[in-house]
Structure formats: C-alpha cells, structure tokens
C-alpha cells in the first residue's frame, strides 16, 4: 500500500502537523480533533490496494469504481458522506505535437481529502507545496485542497492553450506561404493538430458545469468562504474554453483556405498543361496533314514548301504563346 501513497499528512489551523504513520490512525486523530483534516495522495492504486481506503473513509462504491477505471469525463458527484470531483490535467509535447490527458480524482469529506492520480500529468506536488505556504487558504479545510487542485489544473490549461495557439500561428504562416504545399502533407498536419485541440477540448469543456456548481450554494462539504475562489477558477476556465473554441474555428478556416489554395493551384496547372497542349497540337495537325502522302497536295513541288510549312508552325506557336502569356496561362 505504501508504494501508491505519494503523501499523507494532517493539517490543523492551516498548517501541516506530524501525525501517525498509518493513515487509519491519522484519520481517527483528525476526526477526533474536530478542527483538522487528513490529506492522502495516491498514484494509480489497484482495486485491492484501494479497498482499505474505501472502508476507512467510507467512500461510495460508484465513486470508487470511477476512480479505479480512470476513463471518466470531468464531473462532480455528491454522495451522502463525500464529494467526488473528476479532473483531467493535460500535457502538451510541442516536439511531438501531442496533447495527453491524465485523470485526477478528488474525494472530499468532513475531515479528509483523498486524491487519486492516473497518468503522467501531475500538478499535486506543486499544489501541496504551495498550499502549505498559504495557511489562510488551508484554514478553509478540505475544500481548500479541492480549490487548489482545480486552480492548478485550470491554470495549466491556460499555458497549454497558449502553446497550442503559438503552434497554430506557425502552421497558419506555413499554409499561406508562397511555396506552401510543395511536397508537404499540410492538410494531414492541420487535421492532426485539430485532433489534438479536440483532445484538449474534451478535458477542459465538461469541467465548466462542476465549477459552476461549486460557486453556488447547496453543495455539501464546501466551505462558505471558498465559493469566491471557485468563481475565480470558473472564470479562468471560461477563458480557456473560449480560447479552445477559437482555435478549433481557426483551424477549420485554415483547412478550408488550404484546400481552396490547392484547388487554385490545380486549376493553374491545368491551364498551363492546356496551353502547352494547344501549342503542340498546331504542328502536330499540320505535320499530320502533310504526312498523308497524297499525290496532289499544295506546295509539294515548290522549293520553299518545306521551310514555309515549318515557318507557319513556328509562327502559329509564337502567336499562341504570346496570347497565353497575356492571359496568365503561362
């Protein structure tokens, strides 16, 4: 069990205090004091490893199932003895151009907070360190941890959204460059980038409803003084979602513009091919006529017949070339 416990501590009056090494004894101590709470952090526990936590903290079996499966949308569930919040922290690998989402579950009860993390995205270490330097926030009890975790996840959303916007601008510049599309799978890259934005959107979008609920009254286990903090998180999340929606629309417009450019280039190529084909058709036609080997054909007996026909071909080709050039076909 110790292999999945990242940290376990009792917090009293906004400060971390030493407690029993066993989390069951630490929970009993926190509940007995009445003014303290226990915060235990777990990383990818198995069902067997989570059984003891479930029994000691009295967690709802449906919430436990969601925490173990780790394939949930962001949501907030209210149970008799606890709140259950699901968050999806994200990471963006700029070199690979990939957005990866983890999962973070937060159980909040009367005297405890249990955080369960899946995946590599991990804001909890910095959150705990930052909270321990803010006793005025920690005094709000377990709700303070839920707020701090949500705030860290949403703040990182803003950073990821800015990184995505920067890469999108580079892609936009490349699409509208004069030599864009030469030997490049630009449409495939735009579509792949759009899928990464969609992955980000699936993580950030559904979190809006839980944050709105936490800003209002009627949600148990939420400290009255923490609602303005959740309102701030909700405002930041709204900015993120608006930013992501803007990115998605811009990518759709860029893809449409790229496809339109490809169509224009193909039309230009077809016009050039048609112009050269027309110029090649004239000498082909004249040579074809004189290659039919009839006895009575004009100018066959004239000494200037051959150079005259060649000059005629060259003249017609020159006239056609100038005409196509003026029209912009060549």
């Amino acid at each position: 069990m110790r292999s999945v416990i990242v940290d376990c501590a009792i917090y009293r009056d906004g400060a971390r205090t030493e407690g029993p090494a066993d989390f069951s004894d630490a929970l009993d101590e926190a509940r007995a004091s009445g003014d303290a709470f226990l915060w235990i952090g777990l990383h990818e526990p198995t069902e067997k490893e989570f059984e003891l936590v479930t029994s000691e903290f009295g967690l709802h079996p449906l919430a436990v199932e969601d925490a173990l499966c780790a394939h949930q949308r962001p949501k907030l569930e209210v149970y008799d003895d606890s709140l259950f919040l699901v968050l999806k922290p994200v990471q963006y690998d700029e070199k690979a151009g990939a957005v990866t989402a983890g999962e973070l579950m937060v159980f909040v009860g009367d005297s405890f907070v249990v955080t369960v993390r899946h995946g590599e995205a991990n804001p909890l270490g910095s959150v705990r360190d930052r909270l321990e330097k803010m006793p005025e926030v920690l005094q709000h009890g377990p709700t303070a941890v839920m707020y701090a975790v949500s705030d860290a996840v949403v703040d990182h959303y803003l950073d990821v959204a800015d990184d995505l916007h920067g890469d999108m601008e580079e892609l936009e510049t490349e699409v509208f460059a004069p030599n864009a599309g030469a030997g490049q799978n630009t449409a495939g890259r735009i579509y792949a980038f759009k899928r990464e934005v969609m992955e980000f959107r699936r993580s950030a979008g559904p979190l809006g409803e839980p944050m709105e609920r936490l800003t209002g009254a009627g949600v148990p286990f939420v400290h009255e003084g923490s609602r303005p903090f959740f309102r701030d998180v909700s405002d930041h999340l709204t900015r993120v979602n608006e930013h992501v929606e803007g990115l998605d629309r811009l990518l759709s417009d860029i893809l449409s513009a790229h496809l339109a450019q490809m169509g224009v280039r193909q039309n230009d190529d077809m016009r050039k091919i048609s112009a050269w084909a027309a110029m090649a058709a004239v000498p082909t036609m004249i040579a074809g006529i004189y290659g039919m080997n009839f006895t009575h054909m004009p100018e066959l007996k004239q000494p200037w017949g051959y150079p005259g026909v060649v000059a005629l071909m060259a003249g017609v080709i020159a006239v056609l070339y100038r005409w196509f050039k003026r029209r912009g076909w060549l």
Side-chain angles (χ1 to χ4, degrees):
M1 184 65 194
R2 290 185 178 275
S3 62
V4 300
I5 297 178
V6 180
D7 201 351
C8 181
I10 296 176
Y11 295 87
R12 182 180 289 106
D13 295 329
R16 179 170 181 150
T17 62
E18 295 297 330
D22 184 79
F23 72 84
S24 300
D25 297 334
L27 178 61
D28 293 337
E29 180 178 322
R31 282 175 169 167
S33 65
D35 61 347
F37 69 92
L38 174 69
W39 180 4
I40 177 173
L42 307 175
H43 178 229
E44 297 184 354
T46 64
E47 183 176 357
K48 185 176 181 180
E49 291 169 334
F50 206 55
E51 284 179 357
L52 182 59
V53 177
T54 302
S55 60
E56 289 293 333
F57 290 87
L59 305 179
H60 197 279
L62 291 178
V64 171
E65 181 181 354
D66 289 344
L68 292 174
C69 290
H71 292 290
Q72 307 298 318
R73 298 174 73 250
K75 63 179 180 178
L76 176 67
E77 298 287 352
V78 179
Y79 298 103
D80 294 336
D81 299 323
S82 63
L83 286 178
F84 177 60
L85 176 66
V86 178
L87 303 160
K88 294 183 75 70
V90 298
Q91 286 183 323
Y92 179 52
D93 186 346
E94 293 189 49
K95 292 183 178 179
V99 174
T100 57
E103 290 201 24
L104 185 58
M105 289 77 170
V106 183
F107 295 87
V108 173
D110 54 350
S111 301
F112 67 87
V113 179
V114 178
T115 54
V116 182
R117 177 170 62 89
H118 294 267
E120 296 302 321
N122 178 25
L124 293 180
S126 59
V127 167
R128 192 183 286 262
D129 293 338
R130 182 159 53 98
L131 266 181
E132 291 177 354
K133 298 175 183 177
M134 302 169 63
E136 69 280 2
V137 177
L138 267 176
Q139 286 178 351
H140 291 159
T143 311
V145 178
M146 180 180 284
Y147 152 71
V149 172
S150 303
D151 186 54
V153 170
V154 172
D155 282 349
H156 191 59
Y157 283 168
L158 289 169
D159 296 336
V160 172
D162 289 339
D163 292 340
L164 286 171
H165 186 80
D167 286 355
M168 188 273 296
E169 288 182 339
E170 293 180 4
L171 186 60
E172 184 180 24
T173 301
E174 179 182 317
V175 167
F176 292 104
N179 60 343
Q184 300 175 357
N185 185 19
T186 307
R189 292 181 56 201
I190 296 173
Y191 183 74
F193 194 82
K194 193 175 176 66
R195 285 182 63 87
E196 301 305 323
V197 172
M198 183 62 67
E199 178 68 23
F200 184 26
R201 194 173 185 176
R202 281 197 295 262
S203 299
L207 188 58
E209 190 269 339
M211 290 298 107
E212 284 293 328
R213 290 177 62 187
L214 289 170
T215 61
V219 181
F221 307 107
V222 176
H223 192 278
E224 184 71 26
S226 66
R227 292 197 178 100
F229 294 96
F230 283 113
R231 192 173 299 116
D232 181 66
V233 176
S234 181
D235 290 341
H236 290 175
L237 184 62
T238 300
R239 285 175 50 198
V240 170
N241 288 329
E242 289 176 351
H243 199 164
V244 174
E245 288 178 6
L247 285 175
D248 189 60
R249 288 195 297 269
L250 280 173
L251 284 169
S252 297
D253 293 341
I254 292 172
L255 181 59
S256 298
H258 172 68
L259 295 177
Q261 284 182 329
M262 294 299 294
V264 170
R265 291 193 187 99
Q266 289 176 353
N267 288 336
D268 289 340
D269 293 340
M270 288 303 299
R271 287 191 300 180
K272 291 178 181 179
I273 293 171
S274 300
W276 286 111
M279 288 188 292
V282 172
T284 302
M285 180 188 68
I286 296 175
I289 292 174
Y290 278 89
M292 290 187 291
N293 296 322
F294 289 112
T295 300
H296 302 287
M297 294 187 69
E299 320 305 340
L300 285 180
K301 303 297 183 179
Q302 300 295 332
W304 50 264
Y306 175 74
V309 171
V310 172
L312 176 64
M313 293 180 184
V316 174
I317 291 174
V319 171
L320 288 175
Y321 180 83
R322 292 190 61 184
W323 185 69
F324 289 135
K325 196 73 173 178
R326 287 181 179 178
R327 295 288 300 271
W329 285 36
L330 291 174

